Amino acid sequence: MTTEIITDIAEAEQGSSLWHDAWLRLRKNRLALAGGIILVGFSLIALLTPWIAPYAYDAQNLELGASPPSAQHWLGTDIFGRDLLTQIMYGGRVSLAVGFVATSVALLIGVTWGAIAGYVGGKVDAVMMRLVDILYALPFMIFIVLLMVVFGRNILLLFLAIGAVEWLTMARIMRGQVQQLRQQEFVEAAISLGLPPRTIIRRHLIPNALGPIIVYTTLTIPSVMLLEAFLSFLGLGIQPPQTSWGLLISYGAETMEEFPWLLIFPGLALTITLFSLNFLGDGLRDALDVRRSKD
Amino acid sequence: MWRFIGIRLLQAIPVILAVITVTFFLVRVAPGGPFSAEKAVLPEVKAALEAQYRLDLPLFQQYTAYLGDLAQGEFGPSFKYPGRSVNELIGAGLPVTAELGFYALLVAVIIGGLAGVIAALKPNTRQDYIPMTVAMIGICMPSFLLGPLLVLIFGIYLDWLPVSGWGDIPGDKILPAITLGSAYAAYIARLSRAGMLEVMSQDYIRTARAKGLPEWQVVVKHGLRGGLIPVVTFLGPAFAGLLAGSFVVETIFQIPGLGRFYVQAAFNRDYTMILGTTVFLSTLIVLFNLLSDILAAWMNPRLRAQFGEQ
């Protein structure tokens, strides 16, 4: 099936028809399209938060305390009288940033690792992929908890730790792609022209393996965001005064009996985002005709 | 088959050793000693304490000594609570966590498997879309959100089920098991749907139908065996996820299991406790992955043949 894509690309020559077809197919998938639109919207809101948030991030109103949704505070306020909508907007900045940055780290390591292993082949490949196999077997959730305990709860480390965990599948996918592409005539032609491996990997292999990479990236972001929220919920992730959706959910869960909106709205924000990412990922997979590689 | 098991067992050993080594040195390079938080202690007391925890030895000797302890099944003492050991906590917490995990897995396999198979029998109809949409919600709804929501609805508003505890009041195991199991039920639904869809289009299924077998026999006797292989392969990673999930679920429902102890140790910076528990949990996860691989190989005749021939 992946060979189909590859031959598609090879035959299409201009290369644009695959992307055009994919776009036509994606446009028909309403759920995926809605997911994409919601994500763009949330990302824009996150970018513009400092200018469009209804209240200042640290504005308190202790007299007001926790109040249910009202005209002044659309999503209500927390026990310190802070506007929940503002909190969720700032929390979303952190949650989305963790999702995108950590996924980029994973993407960079995974694609490079997989491309080299698949291209060089032989013993180098065997050693590199054995290492991936061994790392795969490690219980990473526990390791991340350990890392956060040992080195303190630092957001930069969180990015790195999560990214370092998620690159493994990416490396496997990339290697498989590259191994198949290497058999193709245009790569053999590039080799016989004497192009250096760096150029071949960058100009010929990575662009042609883009479909599965895009799909898997879209599906990695939600699992990264879940991981961040999980750690923050346990108190091992994002620390106050910063906030994230996971942290807001954890505060909300503490006071949910009296103030259920403090749990429900941050929960909705996270769930809608994860939903959108998953639907978009599924849609892209169908549109680009990529086989399920994650399960 | 035995060869396959042997190879996998040999592969597991370096992984477990790597876990032990990495964890040990990570914990040792952690900033702040175990006693630095406390008031100044007499030098003699400090020396005695350090000797007790072997901190006076060179690092490498500490490491080999720890390996020796592990070989005897001794996971080490607690830094924070003198007199308590990791073994004791594992003894107290493991049965609880194992029971919770077992129920959760039961929820996941039964509900998830059933939903997936039902959906696969009539793909792209309502019988397919409804369970699969519910499964998507299950995947997107993290346990730390689902748990509190279930407590809010069934524990507080409806007042049907207890909101916390474990084995104290009848019914208090239901909500934790559902909370922990639901995400896996959702994954298993998707996996078994995909697996069944693939298998049901195979030639041998057509043969079975051509023989005149009733449809339910085709599905149960011929379809399930092949269609559920992906689910069995998933059980290993699922187990690791269940353990991590138990951190959250046991915290939410105040269940005295391993997961809660681990989180508490993490908060207390009880290094030896973290070290011991990490090593124990990791070994458990590695062994479980092994078990699910072996089970999947045993269910898959192609893989069996491949290893039989070699």
Side-chain angles (χ1 to χ4, degrees):
Chain A
M1 162 284 3
T2 13
T3 40
E4 274 168 33
I5 306 180
I6 295 153
T7 42
D8 268 355
I9 297 173
E11 277 160 20
E13 278 185 277
Q14 301 97 333
S16 67
S17 87
L18 170 80
W19 298 105
H20 190 66
D21 284 355
W23 167 239
L24 287 183
R25 261 174 290 184
L26 185 66
R27 224 170 42 180
K28 279 199 205 124
N29 187 339
R30 277 194 226 129
L31 279 175
L33 211 59
I37 292 170
I38 291 175
L39 279 176
V40 171
F42 275 20
S43 309
L44 276 180
I45 293 175
L47 277 176
L48 299 175
T49 292
W51 296 278
I52 61 172
Y55 291 84
Y57 178 61
D58 46 9
Q60 292 188 355
N61 186 346
L62 289 172
E63 275 171 48
L64 180 65
S67 69
S70 63
Q72 286 84 39
H73 301 278
W74 290 356
L75 302 184
T77 54
D78 69 3
I79 46 170
F80 301 110
R82 290 181 297 193
D83 181 57
L84 186 60
L85 179 61
T86 308
Q87 296 281 314
I88 289 178
M89 284 167 86
Y90 276 97
R93 269 165 86 85
V94 174
S95 290
L96 287 169
V98 172
F100 287 114
V101 175
T103 304
S104 308
V105 174
L107 193 68
L108 204 71
I109 306 177
V111 167
T112 316
W113 193 273
I116 293 174
Y119 185 80
V120 179
K123 277 200 181 125
V124 177
D125 176 40
V127 170
M128 285 175 89
M129 294 324 281
R130 265 299 345 117
L131 193 76
V132 170
D133 286 347
I134 289 179
L135 289 176
Y136 234 96
L138 294 182
F140 267 106
M141 192 65 104
I142 293 176
F143 258 89
I144 291 187
V145 172
L146 190 71
L147 274 177
M148 298 316 277
V149 172
V150 169
F151 292 110
R153 294 136 204 185
N154 161 340
I155 190 168
L156 212 68
L157 185 77
L158 190 68
F159 286 151
L160 280 177
I162 297 178
V165 175
E166 298 281 345
W167 67 271
L168 297 168
T169 314
M170 194 68 89
R172 278 187 173 175
I173 292 171
M174 190 62 200
R175 170 175 170 270
Q177 288 292 310
V178 168
Q179 271 188 335
Q180 281 180 344
L181 283 170
R182 261 208 73 150
Q183 317 289 326
Q184 302 282 313
E185 285 89 351
F186 72 93
V187 177
E188 278 172 18
I191 295 172
S192 57
L193 277 174
L195 289 181
R198 265 180 71 104
T199 319
I200 295 177
I201 290 180
R202 266 214 311 245
R203 296 244 346 135
H204 295 287
L205 297 183
I206 291 182
N208 279 311
L210 219 52
I213 293 176
I214 291 176
V215 171
Y216 185 65
T217 305
T218 326
L219 293 172
T220 302
I221 299 173
S223 65
V224 167
M225 288 181 67
L226 260 182
L227 200 51
E228 178 274 319
F230 167 86
L231 287 172
S232 296
F233 181 85
L234 289 178
L236 296 167
I238 304 294
Q239 297 294 307
Q242 269 185 319
T243 195
S244 77
W245 288 340
L247 202 60
L248 288 173
I249 290 173
S250 124
Y251 292 149
E254 279 167 25
T255 54
M256 65 181 177
E257 273 181 65
E258 302 133 284
F259 319 121
W261 60 90
L262 291 178
L263 172 68
I264 291 168
F265 290 122
L268 264 182
L270 180 67
T271 317
I272 290 175
T273 309
L274 296 177
F275 236 115
S276 306
L277 279 162
N278 276 314
F279 276 126
L280 183 65
D282 278 357
L284 282 173
R285 183 174 50 219
D286 294 342
L288 293 168
D289 195 19
V290 177
R291 212 170 112 105
R292 276 215 79 115
S293 31
K294 212 184 161 193
D295 299 336
Chain B
M1 194 64 209
W2 288 110
R3 196 188 141 83
F4 175 77
I5 295 176
I7 290 173
R8 279 302 154 98
L9 265 174
L10 282 180
Q11 284 173 351
I13 293 170
V15 174
I16 293 173
L17 261 177
V19 170
I20 297 172
T21 313
V22 170
T23 320
F24 181 86
F25 287 104
L26 254 183
V27 166
R28 282 295 181 275
V29 299
F35 314 113
S36 56
E38 277 151 45
K39 290 171 288 185
V41 282
L42 292 172
E44 300 86 38
V45 178
K46 196 171 176 227
L49 277 173
E50 285 190 337
Q52 191 194 337
Y53 292 108
R54 291 206 208 95
L55 290 173
D56 49 346
L57 297 176
L59 195 58
F60 191 72
Q61 275 182 33
Q62 290 182 32
Y63 173 65
T64 48
Y66 186 66
L67 281 184
D69 281 353
L70 284 179
Q72 293 166 29
E74 197 62 55
F75 286 94
S78 160
F79 266 159
K80 277 280 144 72
Y81 307 101
R84 271 166 81 180
S85 73
V86 178
N87 288 49
E88 245 170 77
L89 274 191
I90 291 174
L94 186 64
V96 175
T97 302
E99 197 187 346
L100 172 62
F102 176 73
Y103 293 146
L105 213 56
L106 220 57
V107 168
V109 171
I110 293 176
I111 297 180
L114 218 58
V117 172
I118 288 174
L121 292 182
K122 286 204 177 143
N124 300 322
T125 62
R126 210 174 288 172
Q127 193 182 327
D128 179 16
Y129 291 141
I130 294 175
M132 285 307 110
T133 309
V134 175
M136 191 57 130
I137 298 175
I139 288 175
C140 294
M141 181 82 88
S143 56
F144 51 84
L145 181 58
L146 183 66
L149 282 180
L150 287 178
V151 167
L152 200 60
I153 296 169
F154 294 103
I156 296 169
Y157 291 150
L158 296 174
D159 201 14
W160 287 351
L161 291 166
V163 297
S164 67
W166 187 253
D168 309 322
I169 319 165
D172 62 0
K173 294 178 182 176
I174 297 176
L175 286 184
I178 293 178
T179 306
L180 189 54
S182 66
Y184 299 94
Y187 267 113
I188 287 176
R190 287 170 67 122
L191 283 177
S192 55
R193 175 180 178 271
M196 283 302 279
L197 273 181
E198 207 183 319
V199 164
M200 292 307 279
S201 63
Q202 300 272 326
D203 285 342
Y204 70 87
I205 294 292
R206 207 177 337 151
T207 312
R209 284 197 182 125
K211 276 197 310 195
L213 283 185
E215 186 63 21
W216 69 267
Q217 268 198 359
V218 175
V219 172
V220 174
K221 278 177 86 172
H222 297 271
L224 281 186
R225 180 153 179 166
L228 292 187
I229 289 175
V231 175
V232 174
T233 322
F234 174 67
L235 286 182
F239 177 78
L242 281 177
L243 268 183
S246 74
F247 295 179
V248 165
V249 173
E250 288 175 8
T251 306
I252 295 173
F253 292 96
Q254 293 167 16
I255 296 168
L258 265 188
R260 191 146 159 253
F261 292 151
Y262 190 74
V263 173
Q264 278 171 352
F267 266 107
N268 292 338
R269 301 188 146 249
D270 190 341
Y271 290 133
T272 45
M273 197 68 115
I274 298 170
L275 176 59
T277 327
T278 304
V279 169
F280 178 75
L281 292 179
S282 309
T283 312
L284 217 58
I285 289 170
V286 171
L287 289 180
F288 238 82
N289 273 326
L290 192 72
L291 209 67
S292 93
D293 276 359
I294 291 172
L295 206 62
W298 175 72
M299 279 174 74
N300 189 343
R302 242 175 263 154
L303 239 147
R304 247 185 310 170
Q306 190 191 332
F307 274 90
E309 277 161 20
Q310 277 178 358

